[in-house]
Amino acid sequence: MGMRKSAPGGRARERGGGTAIRPHLPTSPWLFLAPGLLVVGGFSLYPFVSTVAHSFTDARTLTVGQFTGGANYQEMLHDPMFWTGLRNSALYVLGVVPPLVVLPLLLALLVRRSVPGIAFFRAAFYLPVVASVVVVGLIWVWLLDDRGLINALLGVLGFGRAGFLSDPWLLLLSAMAVTVWKGLGYYMIIYLAALTQVPRELHEACAVDGAGAVRRFLTVTVPAVRSTMVLVAALSAVNAFKVFSEVYLMAGATGGPGGEDTTLVMLVQQAGTGLGGRVGYASALSVVVFVLTLGLMLLVLRANRGEDR
Amino acid sequence: MTGPGRRGRRRRKGPLVVRYLLLLVVLALTVGPFLWQLSTSLKGPGEDIYRYPPSLVPEHPTLANYAAVGRVIPVWDFALNSVKVAVANVLTNCAGAALAGYALARLRFRGRRCAVVVFVMAMLVPVESIMIAQFMTMRQLQLNDTLLGVVLPGCIGAMNVLLMRNAFAALPYEVEEAAYVDGAHAWQRFVRIALPSVKGTLAVVAVFAFMGAWDDFLWPLIVLSDQSKFTLTVGLNYLHGTFANDQRLVAAGSVIAVLPLIVLFACLQRYFFRGVEEGAVKG
């Protein structure tokens, strides 16, 4: 930093003082950019290239590996765990996106009007976003325990106990519920920002015409925040597809009984880490994760562009 | 959850009461689980935590579980590791993103568009799809199992660079032009004029960098294997895996992990919300 401060800048000043032709030396922008480009290049772009390259080899953690063509990808197609992981990650998107598009919008409408104490409620609803996913996971593991609070309440209401953390399907559903619970506040704030752009008069005019609350919601609010809904759908879809921590914590490292709840990213983590890690195979799985999220991500960019206009 | 639909009833007082009732219901749903965990962590060994009907307020509140969790795992060392990682992440992200963002927004040079594209591309690569390669890189650099290895991959986030670029680009040109005519060079204009004007965005970057590093789980889980290097999230996962039967201990551990962030959030709330809103508006 000291170098950057004195060397290029000093000379630029001498020149700049005279004719004001060049605002800076040609090298100084690159000095400003160097740390960022180095980190991003070295720890995002290079690993990406190396992931693609490794996916065509049989590399392991401790051995370099030989070129094996598409063998990893072929193996994947015959690996039942891959299909389980793909199924669960896809189900996660389907299960999590609709509630995360609708519920935070309703929440945003609820906290939109500034009634006394509303700042407190907004902050409180954001709390699950602030907490680490590990803490959130452990809180719900305890709540959903066989002898935990929720089963106790179910018992009081006369229902039987549910094996939230032992039945593979209930486990996946529980993990989805936790993801939704943790994400509500985050998307609520995004909707809140969008709602400030909706003109009040529109609502009032509609109310004068005698439209009920539900009707006004559907005819005024929803069209006005439509592009935000697309954005939220895309963002939550991308995040849901890459789910790891919730399932890892609630179902265990191997993804529940018989690995029935494993997700794609859990497979990457299982295959690629440790001393015997199959880096080649894990890389091929990573490439699949990348390609499938990219499709969802392009949707995000589109939604963003729609927002700007 | 069907609530907001009901909000617009014609009469004056009615809707307000309904609104507060709904707010309280949602409050119970979002904050209740945290309170239950806190309550469990304060219950002594003599109190049945599985009791019917459940009681939220401990009979004899005790901090014994917090002392006990420190005996079974080095939870305070984990906390210190988390602090180190989070603080380092804040410093590197603020400095690196401000520098790069300023160059992208304010300096004219050949290859600027190219540099923007590099950052956008980096933002598009999901961490989950490159973490194995990052882990290999860390092994090559012999940084696996070090806190430096935890910090390094995310130490200048592409998203933060672009956020800072937007902030600098939104500043009026005139002030900097005046300084430029007065003979201030790029570094001086950056430090003295541009940087003080984007304090708000810088605070947003700092707050989210802290939260991101403190809460991160997957990457530290991959890169750390020696228990003495664990951050709180990885340590909690270990606690959960090893002492799962003692809910009081797990609860105490998770309260230790979440409390600092709740305090931070309570103090710096406006930056949390501003960041998300700005991000949403400016894209």
Side-chain angles (χ1 to χ4, degrees), chain A residues 105-124:
Chain A
L105 176 57
L106 299 179
L107 264 191
L109 289 170
L110 185 63
V111 300
R112 182 191 184 190
R113 272 236 321 258
S114 45
V115 292
I118 200 68
F120 165 76
F121 285 106
R122 282 182 191 168

Side-chain angles (χ1 to χ4, degrees), chain A residues 1 4-5 9-10 12-13 20-24 29-30 32-33 35-37 39-40 43-48 50-51 60-62 103 106-107 109-111 113 115-116 118-132 134-135 138-143 147 149 152 161 181 189-190 193 203 213 216 242 244-245 248-249 265 268-269 272-273 279 282 286 290 293 297 304 307-308, chain B residues 1 4-5 7-8 16 19-20 22-24 26-27 29-31 33-34 36-37 40 49-50 52 54 99-100 102-104 107-111 115 118-119 122 124-126 128-134 136-139 152-153 155-156 158 180 183 185-190 208 211 215 217-218 221-222 233 236-237 240 247 250 254 257-258 261-262 265 269 272-273 276-277 280-283:
Chain A
M1 292 237 180
R4 195 172 303 125
K5 187 170 184 174
R13 183 184 198 170
I21 293 169
R22 185 185 273 164
H24 52 75
W30 296 107
F32 275 84
L33 281 169
L37 283 178
V39 168
V40 157
F43 298 112
S44 287
L45 299 179
Y46 165 73
F48 176 69
S50 116
T51 299
R60 284 174 177 266
T61 309
L62 297 175
L103 296 181
L106 299 179
L107 264 191
L109 289 170
L110 185 63
V111 300
R113 272 236 321 258
V115 292
I118 200 68
F120 165 76
F121 285 106
R122 282 182 191 168
F125 297 173
Y126 197 74
L127 210 55
V129 182
V130 175
S132 164
V134 177
V135 170
L138 293 186
I139 285 177
W140 282 95
V141 163
W142 171 218
L143 282 171
R147 296 195 288 160
L149 185 63
R161 283 163 192 249
W181 181 78
I189 294 296
I190 293 184
H203 256 284
R216 267 180 292 151
K242 298 182 301 185
F244 171 83
S245 305
Y248 181 93
L249 283 159
V265 174
V268 174
Q269 187 258 355
T273 56
V279 172
S286 302
F290 173 77
T293 29
M297 234 186 243
N304 254 340
E307 192 93 347
D308 285 347
Chain B
M1 285 301 155
R7 131 198 113 90
L16 203 62
R19 182 177 289 253
Y20 274 106
L22 285 170
L23 283 171
L24 288 173
V26 181
L27 184 72
L29 287 175
T30 51
V31 178
F34 288 102
W36 182 243
Q37 193 82 338
T40 307
I49 54 173
Y50 301 107
Y52 276 113
L99 280 169
Y102 180 75
L104 295 179
L107 302 180
R108 247 168 239 160
F109 57 99
R110 201 184 274 188
V118 166
F119 286 111
L124 291 184
V125 178
E128 289 83 353
S129 70
I130 54 171
M131 59 192 187
I132 298 303
Q134 284 178 336
M136 298 293 282
T137 308
M138 287 306 155
R139 285 185 61 91
L152 216 45
C155 73
I156 303 177
Y180 168 55
H185 51 70
W187 175 259
Q188 287 173 330
R189 296 200 304 267
F190 168 65
F208 279 91
M211 187 173 95
D215 288 349
F217 175 55
L218 179 52
L221 180 73
I222 286 175
T233 51
L236 271 187
N237 173 54
H240 165 62
Q247 282 300 340
V250 176
S254 45
V258 78
L261 265 189
I262 293 181
F265 173 57
Q269 217 191 90
F272 279 86
F273 289 167
V276 183
E277 283 177 29
V281 172
K282 281 185 190 156

Side-chain angles (χ1 to χ4, degrees), chain B residues 85-158:
Chain B
V85 167
V87 169
N89 201 44
V90 168
L91 295 178
T92 52
N93 266 295
C94 284
L99 280 169
Y102 180 75
L104 295 179
R106 275 301 200 254
L107 302 180
R108 247 168 239 160
F109 57 99
R110 201 184 274 188
R112 182 165 74 161
R113 289 188 75 91
C114 220
V116 173
V117 169
V118 166
F119 286 111
V120 171
M121 269 168 37
M123 202 174 69
L124 291 184
V125 178
V127 180
E128 289 83 353
S129 70
I130 54 171
M131 59 192 187
I132 298 303
Q134 284 178 336
F135 178 59
M136 298 293 282
T137 308
M138 287 306 155
R139 285 185 61 91
Q140 278 158 11
L141 297 172
Q142 304 208 309
L143 288 176
N144 59 318
D145 226 352
T146 65
L147 293 181
L148 188 60
V150 176
V151 177
L152 216 45
C155 73
I156 303 177

Side-chain angles (χ1 to χ4, degrees), chain A residues 46-57 73 283-284 287 290, chain B residues 129 133:
Chain A
Y46 165 73
F48 176 69
V49 174
S50 116
T51 299
V52 176
H54 273 128
S55 75
F56 298 106
T57 71
Y73 293 94
S283 298
V287 171
F290 173 77
Chain B
S129 70

